[in-house]
Amino acid sequence: MRHRYSILLFPLHVFFDLLSLNAAFVGAYWIKFRTLDAVAEPPYAMLWAVFNLVWLADILLLKPYTFPRQLFKAYHLIQKLMLLTAIHVAIVSVFWVIVKGYYYSREHLLITYFLFLIFGSLFRIGGLIFLREYRARGYNNRRYVIVGYGKLATMINRFYEAHPEMGFHFFGYFDQPNEDNQHLLRGNYDQLREYVRQNRIDCVYCCLPYIDNSRLKSIVDDAEDIDFQVKLLVDFRGFLAKGASVEYHDFLPVLNLSSQMLADFRVNIFKRTFDIVFSLSVLVFGSPVFLLMALVTRVTSRGPVLYAQERIGREGKPFTIYKFRSMYINSEKSVPLLSKGQYDSRITPWGHFMRQTRLDELPQFYNVLIGDMSVVGPRPERQYFIDQIVEIAPEYRNLLRVKPGITSIGQIKFGYAANVEEMVQRLRYDLLYPERRSFLLDMWIIAQTVRVMVQGRGK
């Protein structure tokens, strides 16, 4: 009989869960009352019966014991146990309120669920270890073949070879023979149906794009007659790393391969909301500091308080960035120049202090408020330097997919760049941000920036 023992898994699972539940109920009663004399008498006899009936109802409605072998892991099993237990607690609580069962001991119920989670988890972990060892020895196995020979086909085969505990046994490749694959094939497409029937194959993996739609439809039709599973293998690894989603046009599924992390509505809305609240708070509550900074800047050197410069923002759009002026006026007479840090004679003494503490960046919160920038994001550059950077590191264009920011990973780890080569070095840090951005990462970057400001380590 095909998989004659697999049919026992469900009733055994139900039996051991009910055994664990009843053992927990009785054990908790003994721990609480130090006797078992009245556990099967009213009022606890009714509660005991409700415990069992509710658990059986959970099983019938939720069907919790159906796991594909690839997900048959301790984490998934215990997670499902905790979910079922939470539902059980909720239903029993409703029963308690309905019957006004205030005479039931809350401590007894708490101990019961605690013991049940322990017993249920031990049973699942023990059963998982047993099944893995049982399947690794060749029992309770599933037979599979792969249609369409190629790199994807060999990868799924190697996966199951590396995980014998899943119990999948390989029975060959099927494809149209050619000079490269004919010595590796079990047969061609026309021989597949008969081979599956004779060898009682459980699963046929079809690798796209090595197999065409007409052949795939024929295999699916055969699956209904011969009783085997059909699974499609499509190599989306390079796309899914950037994010993908499924859209449905009526009944037709469409895979959207555009980057979801950057286009995700919730992420962008949440980040923009944070930017507005944070920048507005800094501008309002920090206004005394702004006035003091402006006064000192004006007194210590001739020229305007603020310095405005064109930078390149998201999608290559130019905008005007604002900073407290840290250099003497007319410092760039011919071509744009980068700061040489503490050795740059163009920077005023007060400007050196502002750069070390990053206080010269404070007016950029206005850029954040109006939407040109974000609090956290790669530093915006001038087009003159972007053209030079792209010649050395074309991947810089990836940074233009997100809004530039006041602070970034590159600003924390590297700081100001004195030349194009250093800008490229800083780029290596900033390239981490577009693919990993999150609220927690933004909070970490802001916290690190505050630390740099307090320690005066900006350069």
Side-chain angles (χ1 to χ4, degrees):
M1 183 179 176
R2 193 177 188 184
H3 315 311
R4 59 186 182 276
Y5 298 121
S6 294
I7 196 173
L8 298 177
L9 292 179
F10 178 79
L12 282 175
H13 210 151
V14 174
F15 171 76
F16 279 106
D17 267 356
L18 286 174
L19 181 64
S20 300
L21 185 67
N22 286 277
F25 188 93
V26 174
Y29 191 92
W30 185 86
I31 292 173
K32 171 61 179 175
F33 301 109
R34 295 300 179 185
T35 180
L36 296 179
D37 293 342
V39 67
E41 299 176 2
Y44 275 88
M46 177 181 291
L47 182 62
W48 194 356
V50 168
F51 258 66
N52 285 275
L53 291 174
V54 171
W55 189 259
L56 288 173
D58 276 356
I59 293 172
L60 293 174
L61 294 175
L62 301 177
K63 298 179 174 61
Y65 303 141
T66 303
F67 282 94
R69 295 191 179 205
Q70 293 81 357
L71 297 179
F72 198 68
K73 300 177 182 179
Y75 169 76
H76 293 100
L77 294 172
I78 294 175
Q79 184 183 50
K80 184 61 72 69
L81 171 64
M82 295 180 70
L83 174 62
L84 287 172
T85 303
I87 295 173
H88 193 276
V89 170
I91 297 175
V92 169
S93 299
V94 172
F95 164 78
W96 188 335
V97 172
I98 292 174
V99 301
K100 299 180 180 180
Y102 306 117
Y103 38 79
Y104 294 128
S105 168
R106 293 179 177 84
E107 186 178 350
H108 168 257
L109 292 174
L110 182 63
I111 296 172
T112 297
Y113 285 116
F114 177 74
L115 291 176
F116 175 61
L117 286 173
I118 293 177
F119 295 158
S121 297
L122 290 176
F123 155 66
R124 281 160 173 78
I125 294 172
L128 179 63
I129 294 173
F130 169 78
L131 275 177
R132 285 186 171 183
E133 183 65 23
Y134 188 66
R135 288 166 177 168
R137 293 176 181 271
Y139 303 102
N140 188 233
N141 61 70
R142 295 290 185 270
R143 304 178 176 193
Y144 74 98
V145 297
I146 302 176
V147 180
Y149 180 77
K151 184 178 180 179
L152 202 58
T154 58
M155 287 177 63
I156 190 65
N157 186 24
R158 289 171 185 168
F159 171 78
Y160 283 127
E161 286 179 350
H163 296 279
E165 73 278 3
M166 291 186 180
F168 278 80
H169 288 194
F170 179 55
F171 273 70
Y173 299 107
F174 284 80
D175 202 339
Q176 292 301 104
N178 56 49
E179 294 181 359
D180 297 327
N181 66 20
Q182 58 184 355
H183 64 288
L184 299 169
L185 301 182
R186 182 75 64 177
N188 57 37
Y189 293 143
D190 296 329
Q191 297 170 308
L192 175 65
R193 177 187 171 94
E194 187 60 25
Y195 185 87
V196 168
R197 187 185 62 80
Q198 289 183 356
N199 292 275
R200 296 183 297 175
I201 300 300
D202 300 290
C203 183
V204 174
Y205 282 93
C206 298
C207 297
L208 299 180
Y210 313 134
I211 180 174
D212 58 43
N213 288 341
S214 61
R215 181 63 62 179
L216 177 61
K217 183 179 184 304
S218 176
I219 294 173
V220 172
D221 293 338
D222 290 341
E224 298 179 1
D225 297 334
I226 311 176
D227 186 24
F228 62 87
Q229 290 183 323
V230 179
K231 297 186 179 182
L232 292 181
L233 280 173
V234 187
D235 192 0
F236 287 130
R237 290 169 299 161
F239 302 111
L240 295 179
K242 298 180 180 179
S245 61
V246 178
E247 302 171 352
Y248 285 91
H249 299 184
D250 289 333
F251 62 88
L252 183 65
V254 177
L255 189 64
N256 181 4
L257 298 179
S258 59
S259 177
Q260 290 301 299
M261 184 157 55
L262 300 179
D264 186 85
F265 179 78
R266 291 174 299 175
V267 171
N268 287 330
I269 289 296
F270 186 80
K271 186 173 177 65
R272 180 58 185 149
T273 302
F274 172 79
D275 284 344
I276 292 174
V277 173
F278 191 83
S279 59
L280 193 60
S281 300
V282 172
L283 292 172
V284 172
F285 296 107
S287 55
V289 177
F290 278 75
L291 292 174
L292 178 62
M293 296 283 295
L295 179 62
V296 176
T297 302
R298 186 61 181 269
V299 170
T300 54
S301 64
R302 185 172 56 88
V305 170
L306 295 178
Y307 176 71
Q309 190 178 73
E310 184 181 274
R311 297 288 177 96
I312 303 302
R314 185 177 182 180
E315 307 299 339
K317 296 179 181 178
F319 70 97
T320 301
I321 194 173
Y322 297 96
K323 303 172 67 173
F324 282 119
R325 180 177 54 82
S326 59
M327 290 186 176
Y328 295 106
I329 60 174
N330 299 322
S331 294
E332 293 183 339
K333 295 181 179 179
S334 54
V335 296
L337 296 174
L338 289 169
S339 169
K340 297 179 176 58
Q342 60 182 335
Y343 304 107
D344 196 331
S345 60
R346 298 174 301 162
I347 303 177
T348 67
W350 171 244
H352 278 297
F353 171 77
M354 287 196 296
R355 283 174 172 252
Q356 288 176 342
T357 56
R358 301 283 172 83
L359 292 173
D360 61 321
E361 311 281 359
L362 288 178
Q364 292 167 36
F365 281 102
Y366 171 74
N367 290 111
V368 174
L369 185 62
I370 64 177
D372 292 332
M373 297 175 63
S374 181
V375 175
V376 177
R379 289 296 298 167
E381 298 294 346
R382 286 171 276 182
Q383 188 65 55
Y384 177 84
F385 294 112
I386 290 177
D387 294 339
Q388 298 179 59
I389 295 172
V390 169
E391 290 183 5
I392 303 172
E395 59 270 28
Y396 178 85
R397 295 189 182 92
N398 292 333
L399 297 185
L400 298 179
R401 296 185 301 168
V402 295
K403 279 185 181 181
I406 296 178
T407 185
S408 67
I409 301 176
Q411 284 291 94
I412 296 169
K413 297 294 186 180
F414 194 90
Y416 294 106
N419 51 55
V420 173
E421 287 71 22
E422 290 188 358
M423 295 174 83
V424 173
Q425 293 178 38
R426 186 175 64 189
L427 169 68
R428 307 304 176 191
Y429 294 103
D430 283 336
L431 282 172
L432 299 172
Y433 183 73
E435 301 299 336
R436 302 183 183 181
R437 67 174 186 160
S438 67
F439 179 73
L440 291 179
L441 178 59
D442 283 5
M443 293 301 99
W444 180 84
I445 293 174
I446 291 173
Q448 295 301 310
T449 303
V450 172
R451 180 173 60 84
V452 170
M453 293 176 65
V454 172
Q455 296 175 350
R457 295 194 298 104
K459 71 180 185 70

